[in-house]
Amino acid sequence: MVSNKHWAPTASVEVGEVRQSETGAWVVSGRLAPNGTCPECGTSSRQRHGWRRRRIEDFPAQGQAVWIELRVCRWRCLNSDCRRRTFSDREGAVATPYARRTSRQAQLLGHMAHAAGGTPAERLLRRLGIRVSDDTILRQLLRAAQVVPPRARIIGIDDWSWRKSQNYGTIIIDLERRAVIDVLEDRDVVTCTDWLRRHPEVEVISRDRCGLYAPAARQGAPQAEQVADRFHIVQNLRMAIEEQMNLHGRATGRALLSDADNISTAQNLLKSRLAHRKSREEIFKTISVLRQQGLTCSEIGRRTGFPRRSVAKWLQFETPPDRKRAVLKRSSAWYFEEYLKQRWENGIRSGNALLPLIQERGYEGSLSNLQRLLAGWRRAEKEEQEGPTKEDQVLAPVRDPETGHAISPVIAAALCIKPRGRFTLEQARKVEVLKEGSPAFTTMRRLAMRFNGILRGRKADPLPAWIDDAIETDLAPIVRFARTLNRDIDAVRNAIEMEWSNGQAEGQINRLKTLKRAMYGRAGPNLLRARMLPLHHTN
């Protein structure tokens, strides 16, 4: 037998009657304690001043809505010295003031909104017997997210994209609790600095090697130690190796070009890009010739190694299609190219002198970006005055003897940093061919294995010697990578010796992207933050 006490939302409610209305909903009539306690002086009183009925929605029963009609009394305070003359019953255990549903139902709405979002939670709750709109569900979630999360000692910080290559936000993770602390609307240095200043308890900051969060950490949390992400360090090394192997041409694994067509000068990235452009032209000519012979796109793909769709796309053009370039922004020095050329012709050649001039016009980038633009202009002037310093060097692509295809720079870089014990027979054969055909690969392979040993050994003492040896190789991408490590030496040392990394941040960003796409990209920063933060009652 089910008694009236089973209908009570809390033990403090005394149920008087349970009935079913004409619409099928259950109505539970109840009242609170037979006396009241003044919240001001604590005096108990049984003198009633008046009463009212409060109607609150509770959990459904048997698929029908349940309404609680509470008899809320107003009492007289018997203490003559108290400022209050009357006071009302406190039903905080049942519902918050002015709420239209019980606290436990509001908690359920917050759970559903956090897990499923607005519209899916609305559909599911209707099947359970709770009729509520998606806007109400999301408002309950936003109220629950206003609770301040606990303080964090060790955090990870990373960026994520609102729209790729356009707008970015910042996510902050508590690495000890493995939970999101905050989601910032942008990735501006000032915003991150202000957030860190509001949290002086931070002791360790794990970040990637982007130069954006390093100054924010130095300014906002000078007491904290910075830790560079080990994954991004290894990734930067692989990209440097790939850039060096690009000097052998970028045929991407297809044996289409002659050795003499992959032209590059020593350690010159610009000439490597020109060689890549010429390679694309030769590839386009080869595909066009095969098409004129009457071959289908599938047959051309089998002969050249290109995907059929890529072949069909290229055949739609009369010349090789140009790569799409991003729209210039104020963070790029090229945005102010015309003004910089005027100042350059007027004799202002120093980057330090030109930087404040373009900053007055809205430049948001760094001095190093401006220096790279000016360095290209200086090289062009020097070549016009003195001519080329030495003849172009022809680097033959390294080919796999089994297939005759050139080994792509991407594959060469991946094999360069991979330990020998994890090679397959085919990969081991390619590494031996790369060592024979490229002395630079042999040097980079030796440096990469030493660097992996330093990372796995968790000892940073050999790092300065490794940086010196990498700089002495005269391989421009490797030298640039080593100098970048030297500029961020403290964070790299901490990455080697400490256990913290940004892996958790990357995982939370994947979850954020899933939630953002599930909400069709319409979620603002407050709602996205509410769904990313853990609910306070689940901590």
Side-chain angles (χ1 to χ4, degrees):
M1 177 180 178
V2 179
S3 62
N4 286 349
K5 69 178 183 180
H6 292 91
W7 291 91
T10 61
S12 61
V13 176
E14 180 183 349
V15 177
E17 179 188 7
V18 178
R19 68 181 188 275
Q20 196 168 16
S21 65
E22 297 178 356
T23 60
W26 295 95
V27 180
V28 180
S29 300
R31 65 176 184 174
L32 298 173
N35 59 349
T37 302
C38 178
E40 189 75 21
C41 63
T43 302
S44 178
S45 174
R46 296 180 65 90
Q47 291 188 10
R48 185 181 296 110
H49 179 270
W51 63 276
R52 60 183 174 86
R53 288 194 180 275
R54 184 178 179 187
R55 191 178 177 92
I56 312 171
E57 186 179 4
D58 197 15
F59 283 153
Q62 302 177 1
Q64 300 294 331
V66 175
W67 292 92
I68 298 175
E69 287 187 351
L70 281 181
R71 182 174 180 176
V72 181
C73 295
R74 178 165 288 276
W75 309 91
R76 296 181 186 274
C77 183
L78 304 180
N79 185 0
S80 59
D81 297 330
C82 182
R83 295 183 305 173
R84 285 182 178 265
R85 300 270 64 89
T86 63
F87 58 89
S88 179
D89 282 329
R90 300 289 176 174
E91 62 271 20
V94 181
T96 58
Y98 308 105
R100 299 178 61 184
R101 54 184 51 85
T102 60
S103 297
R104 60 186 186 182
Q105 192 196 74
Q107 190 180 76
L108 173 64
L109 297 186
H111 271 292
M112 296 295 295
H114 188 269
T119 304
E122 177 189 4
R123 290 196 295 262
L124 181 57
L125 288 170
R126 284 183 181 274
R127 296 295 299 272
L128 296 176
I130 302 177
R131 294 187 173 274
V132 62
S133 68
D134 55 348
D135 291 336
T136 303
I137 294 172
L138 294 181
R139 279 196 299 269
Q140 181 61 38
L141 174 63
L142 292 174
R143 280 194 292 268
Q146 292 175 359
V147 178
V148 179
R151 294 176 176 270
R153 215 170 43 87
I154 301 170
I155 66 172
I157 186 169
D158 205 349
D159 59 349
W160 54 276
S161 61
W162 285 103
R163 297 188 65 184
K164 190 174 181 180
S165 303
Q166 295 188 28
N167 301 326
Y168 288 85
T170 299
I171 189 171
I172 302 174
I173 312 296
D174 185 346
L175 297 182
E176 290 183 308
R177 293 173 52 244
R178 295 177 175 269
V180 178
I181 301 177
D182 209 344
V183 176
L184 306 182
E185 188 173 356
D186 54 37
R187 61 172 181 181
D188 186 64
V189 175
V190 177
T191 305
C192 297
T193 302
D194 293 342
W195 190 95
L196 291 171
R197 284 174 179 167
R198 294 194 302 269
H199 297 78
E201 70 278 1
V202 174
E203 299 177 5
V204 177
I205 301 175
S206 175
R207 57 172 176 81
D208 59 16
R209 302 194 62 238
C210 172
L212 187 69
Y213 297 119
R218 286 193 298 267
Q219 299 170 19
Q223 78 283 355
E225 293 189 72
Q226 299 187 40
V227 180
D229 187 45
R230 288 186 292 274
F231 169 79
H232 286 94
I233 294 175
V234 177
Q235 185 184 46
N236 294 149
L237 175 60
R238 185 194 62 77
M239 293 174 64
I241 296 172
E242 180 182 342
E243 183 179 335
Q244 177 63 34
M245 295 305 296
N246 282 339
L247 301 178
H248 290 266
R250 295 179 60 181
T252 61
R254 290 91 176 180
L256 294 178
L257 306 181
S258 62
D259 296 347
D261 287 331
N262 291 309
I263 298 175
S264 176
T265 54
Q267 299 87 36
N268 194 326
L269 179 60
L270 178 61
K271 294 296 181 66
S272 176
R273 289 173 178 172
L274 294 176
H276 179 214
R277 185 179 302 172
K278 188 173 182 179
S279 299
R280 286 167 56 86
E281 294 175 356
E282 294 296 331
I283 293 170
F284 182 80
K285 291 179 181 178
T286 304
I287 292 176
S288 300
V289 170
L290 294 176
R291 183 62 170 178
Q292 292 175 1
Q293 295 176 4
L295 300 180
T296 63
C297 295
S298 299
E299 181 63 26
I300 295 174
R302 282 192 290 270
R303 293 194 181 189
T304 60
F306 279 90
R308 180 187 62 81
R309 292 185 177 180
S310 298
V311 173
K313 179 181 177 181
W314 278 43
L315 290 175
Q316 295 176 0
F317 302 93
E318 297 181 356
T319 58
D322 294 332
R323 294 184 177 272
K324 294 182 179 179
R325 296 184 178 181
V327 179
L328 291 177
K329 299 182 179 180
R330 292 183 180 272
S331 58
S332 172
W334 289 98
Y335 187 88
F336 306 90
E337 180 183 7
E338 184 176 352
Y339 176 77
L340 288 172
K341 282 186 176 180
Q342 295 177 0
R343 302 297 94 186
W344 182 271
E345 293 173 356
N346 293 338
I348 304 178
R349 302 297 181 90
S350 171
N352 291 323
L354 290 170
L355 180 62
L357 297 179
I358 59 176
Q359 283 180 340
E360 294 176 356
R361 287 161 173 78
Y363 178 59
E364 300 174 356
S366 62
L367 175 62
S368 59
N369 288 336
L370 175 61
Q371 294 286 20
R372 279 193 288 270
L373 171 62
L374 301 179
W377 291 355
R378 291 191 183 98
R379 282 195 302 268
E381 283 190 351
K382 187 175 181 180
E383 290 182 359
E384 290 180 1
Q385 295 174 1
E386 302 177 3
T389 56
K390 59 181 180 180
E391 296 181 358
D392 290 339
Q393 178 184 2
V394 178
L395 297 180
V398 182
R399 302 186 182 279
D400 188 342
E402 295 291 331
T403 62
H405 291 179
I407 301 177
S408 72
V410 176
I411 294 177
L415 295 177
C416 189
I417 64 175
K418 190 174 184 178
R420 176 170 290 275
R422 298 173 59 186
F423 282 160
T424 63
L425 294 177
E426 181 181 0
Q427 291 173 342
R429 184 185 70 246
K430 288 184 178 180
V431 169
E432 294 302 325
V433 172
L434 286 167
K435 286 182 177 180
E436 295 176 1
S438 174
F441 180 86
T442 305
T443 303
M444 292 186 294
R445 169 77 178 170
R446 183 174 64 252
L447 289 172
M449 292 300 99
R450 283 179 56 192
F451 193 75
N452 281 342
I454 294 173
L455 288 179
R456 296 178 183 276
R458 315 298 290 175
K459 299 291 184 181
D461 295 336
L463 183 62
W466 186 93
I467 292 176
D468 293 338
D469 294 343
I471 293 176
E472 292 176 359
T473 59
D474 292 333
L475 302 175
I478 302 299
V479 171
R480 191 184 311 117
F481 170 75
R483 288 175 176 170
T484 305
L485 287 185
N486 198 32
R487 287 197 298 267
D488 203 17
I489 187 67
D490 293 335
V492 176
R493 280 180 174 274
N494 292 334
I496 296 173
E497 297 177 349
M498 291 186 175
E499 60 177 323
W500 308 109
S501 70
N502 246 24
Q504 293 184 43
E506 298 293 343
Q508 293 288 354
I509 288 174
N510 285 339
R511 174 170 162 252
L512 183 146
K513 291 178 179 178
T514 302
L515 294 177
K516 185 165 69 74
R517 288 168 181 151
M519 292 185 284
Y520 303 99
R522 300 192 184 116
N526 292 333
L527 180 56
L528 200 57
R529 176 180 180 272
R531 293 204 63 186
M532 287 298 298
L533 293 178
L535 292 177
H536 64 277
H537 50 266
T538 62
N539 290 343

